[in-house]
Amino acid sequence: MAEQVEPAVLIVGAGPSGLVLALHLRLNNVPVRIIDKQPEFSIGSRATLIQPRTLERFSLLGITREEIFESGVVAHQMRIYAPPAGTTAVKTFSFQEPLEPRPSVPFTQPVTMSQDIFESILRSKLAALGTKVELGVELKSILNIGDEPPIAELHHITQNRTEMLKVPYLVGADGAKGVCRQLFSIPFLGETREADKMKIADVETDGITNEFWHMWGSFATAAVGLKPLGHGNKFQYQLVGPKVNHEALQTAEDLQKEFWEISGRKDITFKNVTWITTWRGNMRLAQSLQSGRRFLIGDAGHCHSPAGGQGMNTSILDAINLSWKLALVHNHHASPSLLDSYEAERLPVIAEMLDLTTALHEKVWENKNGIDSKAPPIEPTKEDNTDPMYRPKHFSQIGVNYRKSPIVFDERISSSEEGEGEGSGSSFYHSSTTLQAGDRAPDAQLTFTPSPEIGSVKSPHADTLFSFFHPSIHTILIFPGTSSLKSEKFVDFFSAIPWAIAQALVVLPKESEEEIPIISGCQFGKDLQGSAYADYGIGNGVSELTAVVVRPDGIVGGFAKSVGGVKTYFEKLLGVDGYRMLMSP
């Protein structure tokens, strides 16, 4: 029997944020336990929209594009029908404005996937690393407070026994109604709108195509929609409007009759209804995401309207932001003070997202014209951003940034200019065309050259920059420009890299013909399309060498023009002593 390792992190809640955190930590070789009080895994589609930013992070979790599209589909266009028959389409439009296709963005549109299927994929990846969700285990109390390691009182429901577990860190991922936030004594600020409700169910029907997200009725009275949940005949049933009597709709038969009443489509019958719930308007944000060694992620720290398709995606980015920092601290590479940057980076993003989704919520719930038959004749025209169902492209979360973070560094600008760059006012999205420290690192297509040091006979091969990134280490992208690979400055850059937590990739310009030197631990890739140099803000023909430090969460942590710049970034991240220890022979 394998020796049981004491967990470094206890994760309470096995929804998307808890599972992603557990998986990311295990990929960093951090031992974890993940518990959930439910006796069985949840069913139901619930959150269904996976944004481009989340999709591109999946590669770090070992989830392939093939696995994504085996169960998920590119988000459908919405199609609205006119009464009374409900068969004539009056408008077809994209739910969300797509991103411009380019090498830096591997996904341009969201993907629709049922949440229970997504969670099963995450659980399988986690199990492959030797960690399983412990069902029927409930957090009852935390016996100590302050900065001491939490002592969690766990109740094993089926066995009716109590376990006391002392753990270095505890993360609450147990949702808006969970106990963690209350046990942490963190206020949940915001409002509940009891009048704003939506009935949601999973239904199967062969009565209509799965090529569109179909809607009938009016938000001013009652509207009903069928959103495809994959490649088959399963749809998410969505019912909203001030005239809907939610209390009277409890059974599959009730939902069917209400659908017929609003849509007029009695040719559409539901064969199977597997899950019914009522969502109530609850828009809140925790006053803090951290209390000593305790953290909140996902809905435990923020809940909001589903109108923006942001909740699960924001929760997953919470988990990815926190995980690599916990790993550095657990492995004694960084001071525990690094964990303070989790709240500093995530809270501004979440606050802005909450404002945006609440504004969209009000467009839907307070809409007086809704999706009536007065809409213009159907034609694939440019989306109208006044439509209550329209989502601009920044909802892809590609623009989420941490430019004002205390742990990012840009040697190209003075300290007085930090955080004041072009388009730097928003943490949720920015209009800047110039990449800055704290921004998402762009993807690129490179031709990788085998390292001469291992005597490889493998031919150069094309691959993405994202394929080189890793969830447990930083990646130093070195852009030599026209500088010689034999120059003293180029070679000196490698002396500042803490190899225990970093890897290096030299990005050669497309016109480079210089012989590749042997540098231990370093790989080389040629930017034949020129997109890496362009998107990382390195001009053509520039002779000055630049290093871009990409964090394990895919964020540009720093820009360096010198060895001192690389050193400064890691000293900010790890502390002077932490960096010195990693650089010691």
Side-chain angles (χ1 to χ4, degrees):
M1 179 180 295
E3 182 180 356
Q4 186 173 358
V5 179
E6 289 297 318
V9 182
L10 173 65
I11 302 168
V12 181
S17 61
L19 289 168
V20 168
L21 178 66
L23 182 54
H24 217 276
L25 286 170
R26 292 299 298 117
L27 290 168
N28 277 269
N29 295 314
V30 178
V32 305
R33 281 181 65 180
I34 177 169
I35 64 172
D36 198 294
K37 69 178 182 180
Q38 301 301 325
E40 298 177 343
F41 294 120
S42 299
I43 63 169
S45 55
R46 294 168 287 162
T48 61
L49 201 67
I50 306 176
Q51 294 288 355
R53 179 66 171 271
T54 308
L55 291 168
E56 64 186 32
R57 294 297 89 203
F58 282 179
S59 62
L60 291 177
L61 302 175
I63 301 173
T64 66
R65 182 181 284 264
E66 290 72 24
E67 287 174 301
I68 293 170
F69 288 106
E70 181 178 351
S71 301
V73 292
V74 172
H76 300 77
Q77 285 190 310
M78 301 196 76
R79 176 160 283 186
I80 297 170
Y81 299 85
T87 56
T88 301
V90 296
K91 190 176 183 182
T92 300
F93 63 98
S94 295
F95 168 78
Q96 183 169 302
E97 181 185 5
L99 297 166
E100 178 186 352
R102 56 187 191 272
S104 61
V105 180
F107 296 93
T108 60
Q109 298 181 75
V111 164
T112 298
M113 182 188 296
S114 185
Q115 183 175 320
D116 53 1
I117 294 177
F118 174 50
E119 289 177 356
S120 69
I121 294 173
L122 292 172
R123 289 195 300 269
S124 68
K125 299 295 181 182
L126 193 56
L129 295 172
T131 300
K132 293 184 177 181
V133 175
E134 301 175 44
L135 292 172
V137 182
E138 183 178 11
L139 175 65
K140 300 295 289 186
S141 67
I142 301 174
L143 301 189
N144 63 339
I145 58 175
D147 293 328
E148 293 300 314
I151 300 175
E153 179 188 1
L154 305 180
H155 178 56
H156 294 253
I157 298 172
T158 303
Q159 302 167 2
N160 193 26
R161 69 178 177 89
T162 297
E163 174 191 2
M164 306 304 297
L165 176 67
K166 185 176 183 180
V167 65
Y169 297 99
L170 191 154
V171 180
D174 53 345
K177 297 180 180 179
V179 300
C180 285
R181 190 181 56 257
Q182 288 85 352
L183 293 176
F184 297 175
S185 299
I186 296 177
F188 209 24
L189 309 177
E191 61 177 326
T192 299
R193 302 182 184 182
E194 287 291 344
D196 297 353
K197 299 178 182 179
M198 180 166 62
K199 188 71 69 177
I200 309 172
D202 289 348
V203 305
E204 293 180 9
T205 180
D206 295 320
I208 197 164
T209 176
N210 64 0
E211 295 177 355
F212 298 96
W213 179 355
H214 311 275
M215 294 201 74
W216 299 264
S218 170
F219 291 129
T221 52
V224 66
L226 291 177
K227 179 181 183 180
L229 290 175
H231 305 282
N233 65 348
K234 193 171 183 179
F235 295 78
Q236 186 181 78
Y237 174 106
Q238 303 163 327
L239 177 63
V240 64
K243 301 298 184 182
V244 176
N245 184 353
H246 289 271
E247 286 66 32
L249 303 172
Q250 301 298 327
T251 67
E253 184 180 2
D254 296 336
L255 296 184
Q256 179 74 82
K257 290 180 178 178
E258 190 76 359
F259 176 81
W260 285 339
E261 179 68 24
I262 297 171
S263 70
R265 294 292 299 272
K266 290 195 174 181
D267 58 314
I268 299 176
T269 58
F270 304 145
K271 296 190 302 183
N272 191 22
V273 179
T274 56
W275 172 73
I276 304 174
T277 191
T278 302
W279 177 86
R280 290 171 173 80
N282 197 25
M283 285 73 87
R284 295 181 180 273
L285 175 61
Q287 190 175 64
S288 175
L289 300 178
Q290 178 182 5
S291 175
R293 292 170 174 260
R294 304 153 191 81
F295 300 88
L296 296 173
I297 63 173
D299 288 356
H302 47 89
C303 59
H304 35 80
S305 172
Q310 300 295 298
M312 180 175 68
N313 298 277
T314 303
S315 300
I316 289 171
L317 293 186
D318 288 349
I320 292 175
N321 184 284
L322 178 61
S323 59
W324 67 275
K325 297 171 183 177
L326 280 170
L328 282 176
V329 174
H330 167 72
N331 291 319
H332 307 290
H333 294 321
S335 164
S337 62
L338 172 63
L339 300 175
D340 296 341
S341 67
Y342 165 63
E343 178 176 304
E345 291 186 341
R346 292 301 297 162
L347 207 54
V349 173
I350 298 164
E352 286 190 38
M353 178 274 297
L354 187 59
D355 287 342
L356 289 167
T357 55
T358 300
L360 285 171
H361 173 93
E362 291 169 351
K363 272 189 176 183
V364 173
W365 265 263
E366 298 179 12
N367 180 58
K368 303 306 180 186
N369 298 313
I371 52 174
D372 294 305
S373 60
K374 296 178 182 179
I378 180 171
E379 56 182 33
T381 58
K382 184 176 177 62
E383 288 74 24
D384 177 9
N385 62 13
T386 64
D387 193 293
M389 294 305 294
Y390 173 81
R391 306 291 175 265
K393 62 184 176 183
H394 60 255
F395 275 73
S396 65
Q397 297 212 16
I398 292 294
V400 167
N401 67 88
Y402 310 131
R403 292 181 174 183
K404 299 177 183 178
S405 169
I407 59 170
V408 302
F409 171 72
D410 195 331
E411 195 179 15
R412 301 172 304 174
I413 59 177
S414 66
S415 59
S416 62
E417 295 175 313
E418 288 187 30
E420 299 179 1
E422 176 192 355
S424 63
S426 170
S427 296
F428 189 74
Y429 67 98
H430 59 82
S431 58
S432 171
T433 56
T434 303
L435 193 70
Q436 298 182 31
D439 288 349
R440 160 194 172 272
D443 198 6
Q445 189 79 20
L446 301 180
T447 298
F448 288 85
T449 302
S451 173
E453 68 171 319
I454 57 175
S456 173
V457 295
K458 185 177 179 181
S459 301
H461 63 286
D463 210 336
T464 64
L465 190 54
F466 280 3
S467 71
F468 188 74
F469 293 165
H470 196 277
S472 67
I473 55 177
H474 281 68
T475 298
I476 318 295
L477 301 176
I478 300 177
F479 293 85
T482 59
S483 299
S484 171
L485 301 183
K486 298 177 181 179
S487 68
E488 183 178 347
K489 184 177 182 180
F490 174 77
V491 175
D492 281 349
F493 254 84
F494 297 93
S495 67
I497 297 175
W499 293 105
I501 63 165
Q503 61 179 353
L505 173 66
V506 177
V507 183
L508 300 170
K510 58 185 177 181
E511 62 273 7
S512 175
E513 299 293 338
E514 192 170 358
E515 181 180 352
I516 293 175
I518 298 176
I519 300 176
S520 179
C522 179
Q523 292 198 42
F524 293 78
K526 184 174 286 190
D527 183 22
L528 291 179
Q529 297 180 352
S531 62
Y533 270 76
D535 289 324
Y536 279 85
I538 315 296
N540 290 327
V542 172
S543 60
E544 191 174 12
L545 189 149
T546 301
V548 182
V549 185
V550 180
R551 307 184 333 186
D553 59 353
I555 292 292
V556 174
F559 279 89
K561 306 294 288 185
S562 66
V563 172
V566 176
K567 178 181 177 182
T568 299
Y569 167 76
F570 281 107
E571 286 182 341
K572 289 187 72 171
L573 180 76
L574 308 172
V576 174
D577 291 339
Y579 177 70
R580 184 180 296 120
M581 287 180 61
L582 280 176
M583 298 303 292
S584 298

